[in-house]
Amino acid sequence: MGLGDVLPGGGVSKTTGGILGPGTPTFLTSKVDALINWGRLNSLWPMPFGTACCAIEMMASAASNYDLARFGMERMSFSPRQADVLICAGRVPYKLAPVLRRIWDQMPQPKWAISMGACASSGGVFDVYSMVQGIDTIIPVDVYIPGCPPRPEGLIYGLMMVQEKIRQESLTKHFEHRAEDPATVGAPRANDEQVVGLTGPFGNSTRQERLSTGDIPTPESDEAADTIVT
Amino acid sequence: MSTKTVEIGVGRGREMGPGGAAVPSPLAPFDIPEPELGGDRMLINIGPQHPATHGVLRLVCELDGETVVRVSPDIGYLHSSFEKLGEYRTWNQIVPLTDRMDYLAPLIYNCAFVMSVEKLMGIEVTERCKVLRVIIMELDRIFGHLLWLGTTAIDVGAFTPFLYSFQQREKIYQLHESLTGARITTSATRVGGMMADIPEGWMEQLLNFVDEFPKTLDEVDRLLTGNQIHIGRTQGIGVINADEAINYGFTGPNLRASGVPYDLRKDRPYYDYETYDFEVPVGEHGDCYDRYLCRMEEMRQSVGIIYQAMSRLPAGPINVEDPNISLPSKTDCMSDMESMIHHFKLITDGIPAPEGDCYMAVEGSKGELGMYIVAEEGDVKPVRWRVRPPSFVNLSVIPKLAEGHLVSDLIMINASLDIVLGEIDR
Amino acid sequence: MTEREMSGLDAVGEGPVSSDVTESASTQSTGDPSDHPSVEALLERYGDAVSRHRLNAGDQWVVWIDPTRSHEVLAWLKEDPDHLFDMMSDVTGVDYGKGRPVEVVYQMYSTTHGRALRIRCPLPLDELEIDSVCDLWKSANWLEREVYDLFGVTFRGHPDLRRILMPSDYAEGHPLRKDFPLRGRFSRAEQTRRALNQDVERYYLAEDIVYGEPQYAPEVGTKGSQDGEEG
């Protein structure tokens, strides 16, 4: 999408050069939304939160054969404070969960999140004690990319879906959509019922539920006692 | 008050000091005094989300000025409990887990796991399967080293080798894809053979790759090996001598860079590696530069092994001819009652193992990759599946290697160890 | 229904296999020890510490030794010029479940003699303690920490025995034990809440580590404020 698509023109000058060359408008009218969205979506700075296999595919996407730079994303922002879109590539264990949440909280609005791969989206094959069952229990996710790992084309398609999403946004609803409650910083995105609902066993892991044969440890708090699975 | 002597080396003379000590550079060393910081130590946290830690590694460094006094690695940020999950999976179901463990050289892990199971069960794979596994293991050694080369070069400020190596990796991705259907998560092997025989045209594709690949390697060689910046960043950094390297459990190129010619392909050969003609590159100084040289030479040797293996790939079946181990062909399943029963039994029951344990070590791209399996009589799943992780043990040496170096050298040392966090944390 | 009669899918649901017998059926030794000089010498010198030996998977020698004397035997295997097992490839644990002892397994290799040997030390469940071999092989440092983390085996004399893979305040137990459910002991909601309450700026100093004692990271870091530095 070029500038001309966003900006319907007026005042066409035949002789002097217009904005886009001779014969093009000398001034333009447009919606502020369209202009800002156009700017945002074509210069997304991804924050690569790569942990495992998917990170390698993310590197392959950035390398010469797939070349993410074609979509305005050549500037991988390794600092969350200058990033627009968080790409969570790979499995996220519980030990890493607060780090992911901290990085998400550090990113300035407007920001978007991509969950790349089966493990980030749902836990994948790792329905185990140490693994977050989908990062959407921790941070809000805009686009899920399926695959184990997704091909670079898949990642590029996911990023283009983020661009599509940006195109729909409007400044008039900015605070509605983008307001953040400081109280939610560092807290899980989903409440307890939602977490349990999102993380139930599925597929092969429905057959992995097994009763503990040993002594259940005494939890430190009463709150934890209610939540022990037997 | 501390001073740090900065030496600028111009190439490394071939004359070596005693015990592989660094040779003084032709240029006179000069002292750069560091600013007085009142003796206060700083605590710097690197990671777990940091582009230079090659994954989700966390390094807590105690610094005196810019000199590392102590570094404590904190791992476990990618603990995926593979070993626990493996206890719930039958032998063949574990294979897909192995390639998610080391996503830089997945085929070596696929092969190592089934080799261990086959050894425990006493299965002798076919000759064709052996040679094919040698080919794919050497291919993935190149695959793993290439990623190491690209990312390590970035860590010392060279971006071009990354693009070069990823172009070559892209070719191996395609080889993976036509062999197994996946780019990284290959799951190519099965107990007693392979998931499938090689597809048509694969050997030509492979030949094309091994013909072209050394040219890229030479280009990278010209970019890095004599590069003054690269030499200055790697020579004399992270030195460890041979005895200590063994005691600290170093294996693979890291150990060989210290001058110990320990290569499992030569010392504890499997799959007739003793009949292949290849050299084991051995370094002298045990520093980052020698580790770099060892890996570069290993890739060249791997190309040689692939050529030899390609010429001796025999015809014949790829899987063992035992209906209790290998799945029958799909055609047989649909037309032959007995094959269908075997198919059903294999899928639902699995392959029973004898009682015992088995530790099978192969030379992975990062070092000694051991697969230790414990089974009870008739088990279709392991009682315990343990991976002896080469980079886990290699990484545990980093507090020793980094002591007294600058922070930027710590990054280089970490990169030169060639770690992969998926396998460290498992 | 015995293990053998179940279908594979049921077996998956049932979890790891653990036999009903409290001791392995084949407790007798197999193999001719004269094939392996180190096994032969071990039997000769430490015959009272060796409970049995087996030849597994064709050519792999396994020797079971008394855990109370493991350090002495392993030190001898490392130092004796006829054996010189200078490379400790792996230290790990095996839990069979059903009350059977947890075994600590050492994989050793001698680069001088080109020999491999596996030593297993069965530890009764009520006394999961063994001497650390960290003073002999530096490579055992992290490997023993991992066994401590995942199996709960205490290594006496280890310089820095802390959890290594799991968070230091992990409350659910030791994951690789057979009585530990695959999905963990707490519900997913509780696990998520606990995970996010971890202090990401937690660190430790070497001065805080009490040598020889199991040590968790002390609470030195403060819960990170959201205004300042990066985590």
Side-chain angles (χ1 to χ4, degrees):
Chain A
M1 190 171 79
L3 192 61
D5 301 334
V6 207
L7 308 168
V12 178
S13 159
K14 297 279 183 215
T15 49
T16 56
I19 291 175
L20 301 171
T24 54
T26 50
F27 70 91
L28 302 162
T29 59
S30 174
K31 287 191 289 185
V32 178
D33 275 353
L35 185 66
I36 286 178
N37 287 345
W38 171 80
R40 275 180 181 168
L41 69 88
N42 285 307
S43 64
L44 281 177
W45 285 7
M47 157 77 212
F49 189 82
T51 60
C53 334
C54 293
I56 307 297
E57 284 296 56
M58 190 165 61
M59 282 161 71
S61 321
S64 29
N65 277 44
Y66 291 94
D67 199 7
L68 262 183
R70 291 177 292 162
F71 305 94
M73 292 153 201
E74 73 268 41
R75 204 276 190 186
M76 285 278 178
S77 172
F78 287 102
S79 159
R81 294 185 193 280
Q82 282 84 36
D84 300 307
V85 51
L86 175 81
I87 305 177
C88 181
R91 41 190 192 257
V92 180
Y94 283 118
K95 196 173 177 181
L96 197 59
V99 180
L100 174 64
R101 179 70 216 198
R102 171 74 67 93
I103 283 173
W104 175 252
D105 288 336
Q106 282 174 343
M107 282 169 63
Q109 290 284 12
K111 57 187 175 184
W112 295 269
I114 290 181
S115 159
M116 179 181 180
C119 302
S121 304
S122 72
V125 291
F126 300 103
D127 193 7
V128 293
Y129 57 88
S130 63
M131 199 59 76
V132 173
Q133 299 298 300
I135 57 165
D136 46 6
T137 57
I138 299 171
I139 60 169
V141 176
D142 291 285
V143 174
Y144 301 85
I145 307 175
C148 188
R151 299 176 57 92
E153 293 95 326
L155 176 62
I156 292 170
Y157 183 62
L159 281 162
M160 291 173 77
M161 283 176 79
V162 171
Q163 293 184 327
E164 202 51 55
K165 196 167 176 173
I166 296 169
R167 215 167 265 146
Q168 315 299 327
E169 292 203 358
S170 168
L171 275 188
T172 54
K173 299 217 172 120
H174 180 80
F175 291 102
E176 214 171 296
H177 289 153
R178 298 267 152 219
E180 274 186 291
D181 181 4
T184 63
V185 163
R189 180 189 146 264
N191 64 31
D192 281 8
E193 287 103 73
Q194 283 168 329
V195 171
V196 171
L198 282 168
T199 58
F202 61 96
N204 205 9
S205 69
T206 55
R207 310 190 69 97
Q208 285 168 0
E209 207 55 84
R210 195 169 65 101
L211 292 184
S212 166
T213 53
D215 294 330
I216 296 165
T218 322
E220 288 134 21
S221 64
D222 292 343
E223 186 194 10
D226 300 334
T227 56
I228 285 187
V229 183
T230 48
Chain B
M1 176 69 196
S2 63
T3 55
K4 170 82 186 161
T5 307
V6 179
E7 290 187 17
I8 295 180
V10 183
R12 170 180 281 150
R14 281 297 102 190
E15 72 282 13
M16 301 301 166
V23 172
S25 75
L27 289 184
F30 52 92
D31 286 350
I32 300 173
E34 288 183 1
E36 186 66 68
L37 287 176
D40 277 350
R41 301 252 169 109
M42 245 187 305
L43 212 61
I44 294 276
N45 177 68
I46 305 175
Q49 208 293 313
H50 191 278
T53 52
H54 294 219
V56 281
L57 167 69
R58 180 179 178 212
L59 298 168
V60 184
C61 315
E62 200 182 328
L63 304 182
D64 178 8
E66 214 188 327
T67 313
V68 176
V69 179
R70 185 163 29 211
V71 52
S72 338
D74 189 8
I75 61 170
Y77 288 97
L78 197 55
H79 178 55
S80 324
S81 55
F82 284 101
E83 290 170 1
K84 182 88 177 171
L85 199 55
E87 293 170 6
Y88 291 76
R89 297 278 191 271
T90 60
W91 303 111
N92 277 331
Q93 286 173 340
I94 292 177
V95 174
L97 297 180
T98 57
D99 47 38
R100 279 151 186 85
M101 192 177 294
D102 183 351
Y103 32 85
L104 308 183
L107 287 170
I108 299 182
Y109 278 64
N110 292 165
C111 290
F113 173 71
V114 292
M115 277 163 79
S116 187
V117 178
E118 283 155 4
K119 177 120 177 137
L120 178 68
M121 295 180 182
I123 300 167
E124 183 74 20
V125 294
T126 61
E127 197 59 33
R128 183 177 173 81
C129 182
K130 270 187 198 172
V131 179
L132 182 58
R133 282 186 189 172
V134 167
I135 292 178
I136 61 177
M137 277 198 279
E138 293 304 322
L139 186 66
D140 265 33
R141 193 182 316 283
I142 297 174
F143 193 57
H145 285 353
L146 272 178
L147 188 117
W148 166 83
L149 182 63
T151 51
T152 306
I154 287 186
D155 283 351
V156 290
F159 195 71
T160 322
F162 170 78
L163 295 176
Y164 282 10
S165 67
F166 256 83
Q167 272 190 333
Q168 293 303 310
R169 270 176 69 91
E170 207 58 53
K171 287 182 182 158
I172 304 183
Y173 277 136
Q174 281 161 14
L175 283 165
H176 280 174
E177 205 171 353
S178 47
L179 180 67
T180 69
R183 281 160 60 90
I184 291 181
T185 45
T186 49
S187 313
T189 56
R190 295 290 181 272
V191 177
M194 303 288 290
M195 181 187 73
D197 207 336
I198 50 175
E200 215 174 298
W202 195 76
M203 291 310 267
E204 289 76 44
Q205 209 181 334
L206 178 65
L207 189 66
N208 188 25
F209 169 73
V210 287
D211 282 344
E212 296 296 318
F213 170 64
K215 291 176 196 161
T216 307
L217 207 53
D218 290 342
E219 278 177 9
V220 178
D221 199 53
R222 280 201 294 278
L223 281 171
L224 285 181
T225 308
N227 185 322
Q228 282 308 309
I229 300 171
H230 184 242
I231 289 173
R233 290 294 301 274
T234 52
Q235 277 190 358
I237 303 294
V239 182
I240 187 164
N241 67 30
D243 287 344
E244 276 187 327
I246 292 179
N247 194 263
Y248 272 95
F250 257 8
T251 43
N254 295 333
L255 178 61
R256 293 193 282 274
S258 295
V260 184
Y262 176 68
D263 187 318
L264 283 122
R265 294 174 292 177
K266 291 274 190 200
D267 290 318
R268 297 149 92 176
Y270 47 92
Y271 287 168
D272 308 328
Y273 259 114
E274 66 271 26
T275 62
Y276 291 90
D277 177 29
F278 67 101
E279 301 281 316
V280 176
V282 174
E284 286 174 78
H285 302 81
D287 58 2
C288 294
Y289 189 66
D290 279 14
R291 283 174 217 137
Y292 158 80
L293 290 180
C294 275
R295 291 206 176 85
M296 292 295 276
E297 185 55 31
E298 250 180 46
M299 284 195 266
R300 294 207 171 85
Q301 297 296 333
S302 289
V303 169
I305 298 174
I306 291 176
Y307 273 126
Q308 293 171 46
M310 281 171 81
S311 66
R312 64 165 82 167
L313 184 71
I318 193 91
N319 292 336
V320 292
E321 306 261 12
D322 184 344
N324 292 318
I325 295 166
S326 304
L327 282 178
S329 77
K330 216 60 181 168
T331 329
D332 285 352
C333 283
M334 296 299 178
S335 55
D336 179 25
M337 191 50 161
E338 204 178 335
S339 297
M340 194 187 143
I341 292 170
H342 279 307
H343 189 281
F344 185 76
K345 288 286 282 180
L346 264 179
I347 295 290
T348 52
D349 278 2
I351 309 164
E355 197 242 326
D357 57 355
C358 174
Y359 177 79
M360 182 77 205
V362 304
E363 184 67 35
S365 62
K366 322 241 167 351
E368 174 180 343
L369 165 65
M371 291 280 179
Y372 179 56
I373 287 167
V374 184
E376 296 275 282
E377 183 65 37
D379 276 0
V380 295
K381 295 172 291 166
V383 168
R384 171 98 168 96
W385 165 45
R386 155 79 180 168
V387 182
R388 189 267 176 195
S391 25
F392 179 85
V393 184
N394 289 349
L395 179 70
S396 68
V397 194
I398 205 170
K400 178 182 165 41
L401 293 181
E403 236 175 57
H405 286 295
L406 302 180
V407 183
S408 52
D409 295 337
L410 169 68
I411 298 299
M412 185 59 218
I413 291 167
N414 179 33
S416 77
L417 293 178
D418 190 14
I419 54 167
V420 51
L421 265 296
E423 170 233 274
I424 288 173
D425 294 343
R426 290 179 312 286
Chain C
M1 193 164 77
T2 67
E3 288 292 337
R4 302 303 308 132
E5 287 163 358
M6 289 192 308
S7 81
L9 278 178
D10 278 339
V12 170
E14 200 63 23
V17 194
S18 49
S19 61
D20 290 325
V21 285
T22 49
E23 190 52 48
S24 173
S26 46
T27 47
Q28 43 304 58
S29 305
T30 59
D32 179 9
S34 61
D35 291 348
H36 194 296
S38 300
V39 177
E40 195 180 19
L42 257 181
L43 286 172
E44 210 168 278
R45 191 181 162 104
Y46 290 103
D48 49 337
V50 175
S51 55
R52 64 193 161 114
H53 57 89
R54 271 180 73 83
L55 182 59
N56 272 346
D59 56 357
Q60 301 191 350
W61 280 94
V62 197
V63 179
W64 276 261
I65 58 174
D66 182 1
T68 54
R69 299 185 59 189
S70 64
H71 190 274
E72 178 191 349
V73 175
L74 291 169
W76 177 74
L77 281 170
K78 177 175 184 264
E79 308 293 348
D80 193 273
D82 289 341
H83 309 294
L84 284 179
F85 284 96
D86 49 0
M87 189 179 274
M88 176 60 80
S89 296
D90 196 11
V91 180
T92 187
V94 177
D95 183 12
Y96 287 89
K98 296 277 163 68
R100 280 175 60 176
V102 171
E103 299 191 4
V104 174
V105 186
Y106 300 94
Q107 317 274 3
M108 299 192 293
Y109 185 75
S110 163
T111 52
T112 319
H113 300 289
R115 279 201 295 264
L117 182 65
R118 177 149 67 246
I119 301 282
R120 296 176 65 156
C121 302
L123 305 173
L125 285 177
D126 50 357
E127 202 196 330
L128 289 176
E129 271 193 19
I130 193 166
D131 282 329
S132 166
V133 294
C134 205
D135 50 338
L136 301 172
W137 294 276
K138 293 284 196 303
S139 57
N141 186 339
W142 278 24
L143 294 164
E144 285 181 348
R145 274 178 71 185
E146 192 188 324
V147 177
Y148 165 73
D149 186 355
L150 302 180
F151 286 94
V153 176
T154 307
F155 289 87
R156 283 186 297 259
H158 190 284
D160 179 18
L161 199 62
R162 290 174 294 120
R163 280 190 187 269
I164 185 166
L165 295 177
M166 304 308 294
S168 55
D169 52 357
Y170 191 66
E172 296 178 48
H174 299 285
L176 273 182
R177 296 277 286 277
K178 281 285 186 284
D179 56 10
F180 188 92
L182 180 59
R183 288 159 66 84
R185 288 209 163 94
F186 298 155
S187 72
R188 288 296 190 199
E190 173 70 12
Q191 284 174 345
T192 310
R193 194 162 48 238
R194 276 170 178 265
L196 287 172
N197 282 333
Q198 288 175 72
D199 181 3
V200 287
E201 289 173 17
R202 180 185 51 229
Y203 61 87
Y204 64 89
L205 295 173
E207 287 87 342
D208 301 321
I209 295 163
V210 183
Y211 283 82
E213 290 289 315
Q215 176 78 31
Y216 294 113
E219 297 297 319
V220 278
T222 50
K223 179 74 185 161
S225 54
Q226 299 299 327
D227 54 355
E229 320 78 41
E230 293 179 19

